[in-house]
Amino acid sequence: MKVTQLNGTVRVDGVTDLDLAQTLDCGQSFRWVEGRDGFTGIAFGKRVTMRLDGESLYIDNATAEDFESIWKDYLDLDLDYGKIRSDISKLHPVLDEAAGYASGIRILRQEPWEALCTFIISQNNNIKRIKGIVERLCESFGDQIDGGYLFPSAQRLASLEREDLAPLRAGFRDKYILDAAKKVVSGEVELEKCRALPYDEARRELMKIKGVGVKVADCVLLFGLHRVEAFPVDVWMKRALETLFPDMEPSDFGEYAGIAQQYIFHYSRMHPELFG
DNA sequence: GCCCAGGTATAAA
DNA sequence: TTTATACATGGG
């Protein structure tokens, strides 16, 4: 990758295996908005706009230092997704087929607390409404920066009561958000520890939080802590597995199971007729 | 009105 | 241990 600093924009050449829509608007992060100049979002204290032209990635409102310290990691550009996709394709003929349906997806390295909060909000919910709740959460309790609001800290949310969250219209999830904030602030749940913990222990650590079951825990591990072996299974994925991979368990998908899951998810969404 | 949305807590079998 | 139901809200 070659990094060039323009005015307020960074250009990165040689970016492969990346599709911004597949990566930023696929239900792993809920704060990116597509506009005329690309996808605009806020992470790690910065608000940027990204667009891709061939293998050139442009990031507005960023410096070369920002790219090196934030966005390269955020987009997981050091991981060879071409190789991983090739390896996954060899596991099963259906995976070979599925891998073509989201070949530009990457697993973001999001901030863990944000991932935890947003996936608590995601339960029994739809993407459009999740985005609305997250937006109101940031506007209500996040620090203001140029052009938007940061995701509110756990400390800030831990100081609130359910009635304070009423304007979010998050429904029954408000109490789960507060429980998560309190347990993260008190140290009863240590998110960073979950990066290195054995997978089952990391899952149990997260499930100490009310409203965090196996699905939310796996999403937080995959999308917030980059545990790419995590394989979130929802109702839809369960049907996809039964139909397409009757002889396989989630644990059979290997060390990059989470990436395989993304391929399967997109593939199955494109072929709902496969499930009757 | 009814159904569903990338689920989970709770109570009962 | 497994299975049913409520849960808040909003769009189709």
Side-chain angles (χ1 to χ4, degrees):
Chain A
M1 286 182 291
K2 175 162 160 274
V3 182
T4 311
Q5 171 107 40
L6 306 161
N7 283 327
T9 299
V10 170
R11 186 180 82 210
V12 186
D13 297 311
V15 174
T16 60
D17 306 298
L18 174 64
D19 181 297
L20 291 176
Q22 285 178 10
T23 299
L24 299 174
D25 195 21
C26 69
Q28 61 171 319
S29 175
F30 301 95
R31 296 203 65 197
W32 291 91
V33 178
E34 186 169 18
R36 264 202 50 74
D37 301 323
F39 286 85
T40 299
I42 296 173
F44 294 94
K46 308 274 188 177
R47 176 180 181 274
V48 295
T49 299
M50 299 182 179
R51 63 188 168 279
L52 199 56
D53 179 12
E55 293 192 356
S56 295
L57 171 68
Y58 293 84
I59 309 179
D60 293 337
N61 195 30
T63 63
E65 293 77 49
D66 287 343
F67 175 74
E68 294 296 338
S69 65
I70 299 174
W71 306 113
K72 185 170 71 171
D73 288 332
Y74 186 79
L75 294 169
D76 206 20
L77 294 178
D78 283 333
L79 201 53
D80 186 348
Y81 279 74
K83 169 75 160 65
I84 292 168
R85 190 165 69 253
S86 161
D87 290 348
I88 288 173
S89 297
K90 291 169 190 154
L91 292 177
H92 193 288
V94 177
L95 275 174
D96 185 34
E97 170 78 10
Y101 284 79
S103 60
I105 200 167
R106 285 171 174 268
I107 306 300
L108 297 171
R109 292 180 186 262
Q110 299 187 67
E111 295 162 275
W113 163 246
E114 177 176 333
L116 171 60
C117 248
T118 55
F119 280 99
I120 285 173
I121 292 167
S122 80
Q123 66 180 86
N124 195 229
N125 213 339
N126 59 69
I127 304 260
K128 184 173 166 62
R129 199 165 85 92
I130 295 165
K131 286 181 175 174
I133 294 169
V134 171
E135 186 175 14
R136 291 189 290 276
L137 177 66
C138 295
E139 288 173 355
S140 302
F141 306 112
D143 292 335
Q144 188 161 20
I145 63 167
D146 187 29
Y149 296 86
L150 302 184
F151 195 88
S153 67
Q155 286 74 10
R156 180 72 207 282
L157 296 187
S159 72
L160 304 175
E161 306 293 333
R162 282 187 80 174
E163 61 194 48
D164 299 316
L165 297 186
L168 306 184
R169 285 169 279 149
F172 59 88
R173 305 165 192 83
D174 56 4
K175 57 183 178 290
Y176 300 153
I177 295 169
L178 294 179
D179 190 61
K182 290 188 170 81
K183 284 174 178 162
V184 165
V185 168
S186 73
E188 183 178 347
V189 171
E190 296 185 62
L191 294 179
E192 284 302 328
K193 203 171 73 176
C194 295
R195 287 190 197 276
L197 239 34
Y199 173 65
D200 288 330
E201 290 178 37
R203 239 188 178 183
R204 280 200 295 278
E205 174 79 2
L206 295 172
M207 288 168 66
K208 291 184 197 166
I209 296 163
K210 287 200 190 71
V212 177
V214 288
K215 166 60 168 48
V216 170
D218 280 347
C219 285
V220 175
L221 288 172
L222 178 59
F223 299 125
L225 294 157
H226 210 266
R227 296 290 298 257
V228 288
E229 77 271 41
F231 192 103
V233 178
D234 57 22
V235 181
W236 182 273
M237 184 57 54
K238 185 167 286 193
R239 278 202 299 166
L241 290 176
E242 287 167 356
T243 309
L244 302 172
F245 306 95
D247 48 344
M248 284 180 83
E249 294 293 318
S251 57
D252 295 331
F253 287 93
E255 62 174 318
Y256 296 108
I259 298 172
Q261 190 268 9
Q262 293 292 295
Y263 298 150
I264 297 166
F265 184 77
H266 285 262
Y267 174 69
S268 62
R269 285 285 183 187
M270 292 292 186
H271 295 284
E273 76 281 2
L274 292 175
F275 311 112

